[in-house]
Amino acid sequence: LERLKPMESMLKTRKGLFLTFYLMGHDYEYYQPVRPGDTIRTWELRPTLEDSTNLSGKEPRKFRYVDGQCDYINQRDEIIGAFKQYVEVTLHEGNPPVDKYFDDYGYAQKELDYLAEVFESEKPRGAEIRYWEDVNVGDDMGTITDGPTTFMHMGFGPPPPPPGEVPKRTFTRYEEPLGGPVMMGYVPDRDTGLLYPVHGGRHGYDRAAQFEGGPRAWIYNVQSRYPMCRLITNWIGDDGFVCKFGWRHIWRTPVGDALLINGKVVKKYVDNGEHL
């Protein structure tokens, strides 16, 4: 359903200020399954904004807001789910500070062997029912991996057109960056003033990430969220239903790092007749 969410609308800044954008996380709530043949429409809710500037007055202006907030409604006018996206932006005078630079991580052969073993041992539960009575607090949900990550993980851009139908390219001479994520267009080098094309922005180009204050190109948030969801759905099997899912960004993950995803049961209870 995240594919149907409203697009986030970046805050605008006046010239001379630089806006850094940090996606803090998402919250999902699901009330019933989405089935093949359903028609889904999105009801967008008004974003909320709060000033979270440090009261000392020694730090730049900072705002947090809930953006891309919506309800999902099916063809029977039933609300089947809800979504919230949390964003933090900071306004800098001039250029933003650059985070500590992370070097590329080189893997020892035994590390790659371990990741391959984790990858090959992943097994979805499928149609084998996991009964509520069989679940205990502290149960291990296993470990899966998504890594080492690469730029190919990103899947940039639309699929290529059919042979013989390549459209004429449109050329953008230059668009002045006003702050925030610069996903397309150009960024100026801070020292030389030369302009560099950006393709994929912060996620596909080290220079674009550093222009925004990041250390290196970092992975999309979906590369963190999707394996979490996959671990859960692997474990619960086809008869399980995810009622709520939330995640928070703790640190940006450079492209090339490997993710290891694991979990355990922390609570088991009955609420209004539902076994959760």
Side-chain angles (χ1 to χ4, degrees):
L1 286 178
E2 192 259 349
R3 289 290 185 182
L4 303 176
K5 74 176 177 69
M7 291 297 293
E8 59 267 11
S9 54
M10 291 301 303
L11 301 177
K12 303 299 182 184
T13 62
R14 63 176 173 82
K15 192 170 183 178
L17 286 180
F18 193 99
L19 180 152
T20 54
F21 165 94
Y22 201 86
L23 177 58
M24 299 169 67
H26 294 139
D27 284 341
Y28 303 84
E29 193 163 358
Y30 301 120
Y31 310 128
Q32 59 173 287
V34 179
R35 296 180 172 85
D38 281 357
T39 299
I40 308 300
R41 68 183 191 274
T42 302
W43 182 268
E44 184 174 3
L45 305 175
R46 185 185 299 275
T48 61
L49 178 70
E50 67 175 26
D51 190 333
S52 57
T53 306
N54 191 302
L55 295 178
S56 69
K58 298 179 180 179
E59 297 183 10
R61 294 293 300 276
K62 182 176 291 187
F63 296 89
R64 292 181 179 180
Y65 65 107
V66 180
D67 193 15
Q69 184 178 189
C70 68
D71 290 330
Y72 298 109
I73 304 168
N74 66 13
Q75 68 274 20
R76 293 179 293 275
D77 288 335
E78 299 165 334
I79 297 180
I80 60 168
F83 172 84
K84 290 183 178 179
Q85 174 170 280
Y86 301 91
V87 173
E88 181 177 84
V89 295
T90 304
L91 300 176
H92 303 271
E93 293 284 350
N95 294 321
V98 177
D99 291 336
K100 181 179 180 294
Y101 193 92
F102 287 107
D103 292 329
D104 282 324
Y105 187 82
Y107 293 87
Q109 185 62 52
K110 63 180 180 180
E111 293 177 310
L112 294 178
D113 291 343
Y114 169 73
L115 291 174
E117 182 180 340
V118 172
F119 182 85
E120 292 165 0
S121 64
E122 179 181 348
K123 291 183 176 63
R125 189 171 184 85
E128 182 185 353
I129 297 175
R130 185 185 295 279
Y131 293 98
W132 185 85
E133 290 81 4
D134 299 329
V135 175
N136 299 297
V137 173
D139 283 357
D140 191 335
M141 299 171 67
T143 300
I144 64 174
T145 185
D146 185 24
T149 55
T150 68
F151 288 108
M152 293 301 292
H153 275 71
M154 307 293 192
F156 286 126
E165 297 183 20
V166 178
K168 180 181 177 181
R169 179 186 172 202
T170 57
F171 187 85
T172 303
R173 290 183 179 275
Y174 180 65
E175 291 184 18
E176 183 177 4
L178 297 176
V182 184
M183 297 301 291
M184 302 301 293
Y186 297 80
V187 295
D189 184 279
R190 288 172 173 147
D191 297 324
T192 66
L194 295 175
L195 305 176
Y196 291 84
V198 177
H199 304 290
R202 54 173 55 179
H203 299 303
Y205 196 30
D206 286 347
R207 190 184 295 274
Q210 291 156 17
F211 177 77
E212 293 185 36
R216 275 181 42 217
W218 62 87
I219 66 169
Y220 274 123
N221 66 82
V222 296
Q223 287 181 255
S224 299
R225 289 187 288 122
Y226 287 179
M228 290 181 190
C229 292
R230 195 171 83 235
L231 177 75
I232 295 168
T233 54
N234 280 355
W235 187 80
I236 65 178
D238 296 347
D239 292 295
F241 178 70
V242 177
C243 298
K244 290 184 179 180
F245 176 79
W247 75 283
R248 293 295 181 269
H249 235 147
I250 305 302
W251 193 250
R252 288 168 172 159
T253 305
V255 176
D257 280 11
L259 305 180
L260 288 165
I261 304 94
N262 51 45
K264 66 179 180 179
V265 178
V266 296
K267 188 177 180 180
K268 173 183 174 179
Y269 59 102
V270 179
D271 185 16
N272 292 326
E274 284 194 285
H275 291 67
L276 306 169

